[in-house]
C-alpha cells in the first residue's frame, strides 16, 4: 500500500496540502536536499522516493545502519558519472542520525556542489544528531504522527484496493477500526501490519474488535477518548497527584498513553496542576512541567514517556498548596465588584510633567531606595485596601514565601 505519487500520499496536510510550497516544489521537481524528521511509520522514506521519482533522478538508497564510507564513495562515483550527462542523483539515507561524523563529512562536499541531492530520514532530532554543516545545506522538514482521519483513510484504502490491498471482499466494523487507529499511535505501518494479520487470521467478512486485539497481540484498554473513560481517567490521574500517590498517578498516566490519549492533553493538565495544586509550595513544579512539555514537543512518543513519568512523579511527591487558586478566585470576585476602582494617584503613570498637577505619580516612593527594598505605601484602591487574596500555607517553600510577605506587609501597612 506504499503510495506511488504525491497524489496518493495521505497525511501531513500542513506541509503537503494543495498549494503548499513543498507540495508545489515536489510537483515541479525542484526540491533540494531535505532531512525528513518524524516518528516511525508516517511515510518519511516513501515521501523521499516520491520526491526522487518526481525529479526524474537516479535513486541511490542506503541505510546508515549498515553503509560505510566505502559504500558512500561508490555512490558518489556513480553520481559523478550521471552528472556528466546532466542527470541528477538523489541519495536517500534511512536513519541518517546513525551516520558518524566521518560518514557525514564524506557526503558534505558533494551535497554542497550538487553532485548529490540528499534526502535523509530520521526519527531523531537532526539538530542534535546530524552535523551542523550538513543540516545547514538541507531543509529540515518536521513530519507529525498521522491523525486518526489519515489512518482511517489508509485502512479504507487497504480494504478496497483490489490491486495492492487485502484480497477478497473484507470490511471492518466501526469499533474495530477505532481500536486499530488507537493501537497504531499514528503509525501507518503498524496499522497495516495489524490489519493484515487480522485479515489472514480470520475468514469472516467483517473484521471485529476481537480480531484486531488478537492480531495486535496487545490487550486493548477500554478507553473512549470522547466518553466517560476519558474524563474519569484524567480525573483519577489529577486526584492521585493531588493526593501525593505517584504510583496511582503513573498507572493512570500509562493507561491513557497505551489507549492512545493525546499526550499534549495530559501535559496541559499537568501544567495547570503545577500552579493550581502546588503553586509556591514548590516553584520548581511549574518549571518541570513546562520542561516536560518542551521535551514532548522535541522528542515525541515513545521517548517522551520518560519526561511525562518524570514530571508525574515529581508533581505527585511535591508539597501541595492551593493558595494561588484561592487567591485567584478572591481577586476575580473583587474585580467583578470593584473592577473600576481607581488606583492610588501616587502609583499611576505620569509620562508628562503637567499630569502631576492632577496628582498623577505624585508622592511615589521608589522601594529600592529604602532598607530591604520595601517602603510604607498604599498600592490598592481604597475600596479593597483591607482585602487579602493570597494567604501562603506552611508547606514546602511557601512557608518561606509566607515569612517574606508577613515581613513586607508590616512595613507596607504598619497599622
Amino acid at each position: 500500500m506504499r503510495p506511488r505519487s504525491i497524489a496518493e500520499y495521505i497525511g501531513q496536510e500542513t506541509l503537503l496540502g494543495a498549494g503548499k510550497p513543498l507540495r508545489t516544489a515536489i510537483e515541479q521537481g525542484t526540491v533540494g536536499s531535505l532531512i525528513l524528521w518524524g516518528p516511525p511509520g508516517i511515510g518519511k522514506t516513501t515521501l523521499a522516493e516520491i520526491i526522487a521519482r518526481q525529479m526524474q533522478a537516479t535513486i541511490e538508497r542506503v541505510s546508515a545502519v549498515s553503509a560505510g564510507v566505502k559504500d558512500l564513495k561508490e555512490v558518489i562515483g556513480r553520481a559523478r558519472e550521471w552528472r556528466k550527462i546532466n542527470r541528477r542523483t538523489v541519495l536517500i539515507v534511512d536513519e541518517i542520525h546513525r551516520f558518524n561524523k566521518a560518514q557525514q563529512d564524506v557526503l558534505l562536499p558533494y551535497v554542497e556542489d550538487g553532485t548529490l541531492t540528499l534526502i535523509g530520514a530520521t526519527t531523531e532530532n537532526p539538530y542534535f544528531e546530524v552535523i551542523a554543516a550538513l543540516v545547514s545545506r538541507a531543509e529540515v522538514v518536521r513530519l507529525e504522527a498521522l491523525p486518526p482521519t489519515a489512518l482511517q483513510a489508509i485502512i479504507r484504502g487497504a480494504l478496497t484496493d483490489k490491486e495492492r490491498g487485502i484480497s477478497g471482499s473484507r470490511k471492518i466494523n466501526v469499533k474495530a477500526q477505532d481500536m486499530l487507529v488507537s493501537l497504531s499511535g499514528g503509525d501507518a505501518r503498524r496499522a497495516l501490519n495489524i490489519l493484515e494479520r487480522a485479515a489472514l487470521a480470520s475468514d469472516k467478512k467483517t473484521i471485529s474488535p476481537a480480531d484486531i486485539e488478537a492480531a495486535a497481540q496487545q490487550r486493548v484498554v477500554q478507553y473512549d477518548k470522547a466518553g466517560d473513560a476519558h474524563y474519569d481517567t484524567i480525573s483519577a490521574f489529577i486526584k492521585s497527584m493531588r493526593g501525593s500517590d505517584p504510583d496511582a498517578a503513573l498507572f493512570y498516566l500509562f493507561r491513557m498513553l497505551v489507549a492512545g490519549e493525546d499526550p499534549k492533553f495530559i501535559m496541559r493538565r499537568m501544567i495547570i496542576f503545577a500552579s493550581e495544586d502546588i503553586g509556591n509550595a514548590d516553584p520548581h513544579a511549574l518549571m518541570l512541567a513546562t520542561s516536560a512539555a518542551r521535551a514532548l514537543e522535541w522528542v515525541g512518543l515513545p521517548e517522551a514517556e520518560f519526561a511525562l513519568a518524570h514530571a508525574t512523579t515529581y508533581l505527585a511527591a511535591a508539597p501541595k498548596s492551593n493558595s494561588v487558586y484561592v487567591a485567584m478566585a478572591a481577586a476575580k470576585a473583587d474585580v467583578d465588584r470593584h473592577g473600576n476602582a481607581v488606583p492610588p494617584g501616587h502609583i499611576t503613570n505620569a509620562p508628562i510633567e503637567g499630569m502631576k498637577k492632577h496628582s498623577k505619580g505624585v508622592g511615589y516612593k521608589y522601594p529600592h531606595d529604602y532598607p530591604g527594598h520595601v517602603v510604607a505605601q498604599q498600592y490598592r484602591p481604597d475600596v479593597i485596601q483591607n482585602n487579602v487574596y493570597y494567604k501562603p500555607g506552611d508547606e514546602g517553600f511557601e512557608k518561606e514565601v509566607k515569612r517574606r510577605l508577613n515581613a513586607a506587609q508590616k512595613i507596607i501597612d504598619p497599622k
Side-chain angles (χ1 to χ4, degrees):
M1 292 305 300
R2 188 184 293 273
R4 295 164 294 189
S5 68
I6 194 65
E8 290 184 357
Y9 194 89
I10 296 172
Q12 316 302 334
E13 290 297 320
T14 56
L15 289 169
L16 300 173
K20 298 293 184 180
L22 181 57
R23 172 69 173 260
T24 301
I26 292 171
E27 291 173 339
Q28 295 175 349
T30 57
V31 177
S33 291
L34 300 173
I35 296 178
L36 304 177
W37 167 32
I42 61 169
K44 297 184 296 293
T45 303
T46 296
L47 182 58
E49 292 177 350
I50 289 171
I51 291 170
R53 286 196 296 270
Q54 194 69 28
M55 292 167 62
Q56 297 183 336
T58 297
I59 301 175
E60 296 277 2
R61 180 171 172 175
V62 300
S63 170
V65 177
S66 56
V69 171
K70 178 177 179 292
D71 301 304
L72 296 178
K73 288 183 175 179
E74 290 175 356
V75 169
I76 291 165
R78 291 192 292 270
R80 293 173 72 179
E81 292 300 313
W82 283 115
R83 196 176 188 188
K84 291 177 182 178
I85 58 172
N86 295 319
R87 185 175 175 88
R88 298 173 69 178
T89 299
V90 173
L91 173 60
I92 298 173
V93 182
D94 288 319
E95 307 295 336
I96 192 171
H97 62 276
R98 299 287 292 272
F99 268 162
N100 60 35
K101 186 176 183 300
Q103 291 166 309
Q104 294 181 43
D105 283 341
V106 168
L107 293 177
L108 185 59
Y110 301 99
V111 173
E112 189 170 20
D113 70 9
T115 300
L116 291 172
T117 297
L118 171 68
I119 304 181
T122 179
T123 56
E124 303 295 326
N125 188 334
Y127 294 104
F128 297 151
E129 304 296 339
V130 181
I131 61 172
L134 201 54
V135 170
S136 70
R137 287 160 177 80
E139 180 183 357
V140 176
V141 177
R142 182 75 165 99
L143 304 177
E144 303 293 338
L146 295 174
T149 51
L151 286 172
Q152 289 162 5
I154 290 168
I155 292 165
R156 286 195 301 271
L159 290 169
T160 57
D161 190 310
K162 294 180 180 179
E163 178 190 351
R164 296 178 296 151
I166 295 171
S167 60
S169 177
R170 305 300 290 274
K171 296 180 180 179
I172 185 169
N173 70 33
V174 174
K175 287 187 178 180
Q177 179 175 275
D178 289 345
M179 182 183 290
L180 177 54
V181 168
S182 178
L183 286 170
S184 300
D187 184 331
R189 184 186 303 115
R190 177 166 169 75
L192 292 172
N193 284 341
I194 294 172
L195 180 64
E196 184 175 38
R197 286 198 296 269
L200 291 173
S202 172
D203 58 2
K204 294 181 294 186
K205 288 189 176 182
T206 300
I207 297 169
S208 69
D211 296 327
I212 295 297
E213 189 172 44
Q217 298 178 330
Q218 177 179 338
R219 183 161 182 80
V220 177
V221 175
Q222 297 302 314
Y223 187 90
D224 178 1
K225 286 188 280 185
D228 288 346
H230 166 82
Y231 295 106
D232 288 348
T233 308
I234 194 66
S235 176
F237 175 64
I238 294 298
K239 288 169 182 171
S240 296
M241 290 194 296
R242 185 179 294 144
S244 300
D245 188 337
D247 297 317
L250 282 173
F251 174 82
Y252 295 118
L253 169 68
F254 283 100
R255 177 180 173 180
M256 289 186 287
L257 292 175
V258 168
E261 180 61 83
D262 181 357
K264 292 179 182 177
F265 165 74
I266 302 171
M267 201 67 253
R268 285 193 293 269
R269 295 304 300 266
M270 292 170 72
I271 292 171
I272 294 167
F273 179 90
S275 291
E276 180 181 358
D277 287 282
I278 297 173
N280 288 321
D282 186 346
H284 290 100
L286 181 59
M287 290 186 280
L288 190 76
T290 54
S291 293
R294 186 65 170 154
L296 175 63
E297 179 183 345
W298 274 95
V299 304
L301 293 178
E303 289 83 357
E305 288 180 355
F306 291 107
L308 268 70
H310 177 178
T312 294
T313 52
Y314 188 95
L315 297 179
K320 305 301 189 295
S321 169
N322 71 339
S323 299
V324 170
Y325 171 78
V326 173
M328 283 172 49
K332 287 179 179 180
D334 261 2
V335 168
D336 285 341
R337 290 189 291 264
H338 312 296
N340 294 320
V342 179
H346 56 273
I347 63 168
T348 56
N349 189 33
I352 300 172
E353 186 66 25
M355 294 179 68
K356 292 185 177 180
K357 296 178 183 179
H358 303 282
S359 299
K360 292 278 189 179
V362 176
Y364 173 62
K365 299 173 185 176
Y366 187 54
H368 296 299
D369 291 339
Y370 294 83
H373 305 271
V374 183
V375 61
Q377 182 166 237
Q378 182 175 338
Y379 295 98
R380 313 174 199 185
D382 290 337
V383 71
I384 63 163
Q385 176 60 15
N386 296 318
N387 295 2
V388 178
Y389 308 138
Y390 180 49
K391 299 176 182 178
D394 294 316
E395 297 298 321
F397 183 74
E398 202 164 36
K399 186 174 183 179
E400 170 63 13
V401 174
K402 184 176 185 178
R403 184 196 67 77
R404 294 178 188 178
L405 288 182
N406 287 342
Q409 192 60 33
K410 288 178 182 177
I411 298 172
I412 294 169
D413 189 10
K415 65 180 180 181

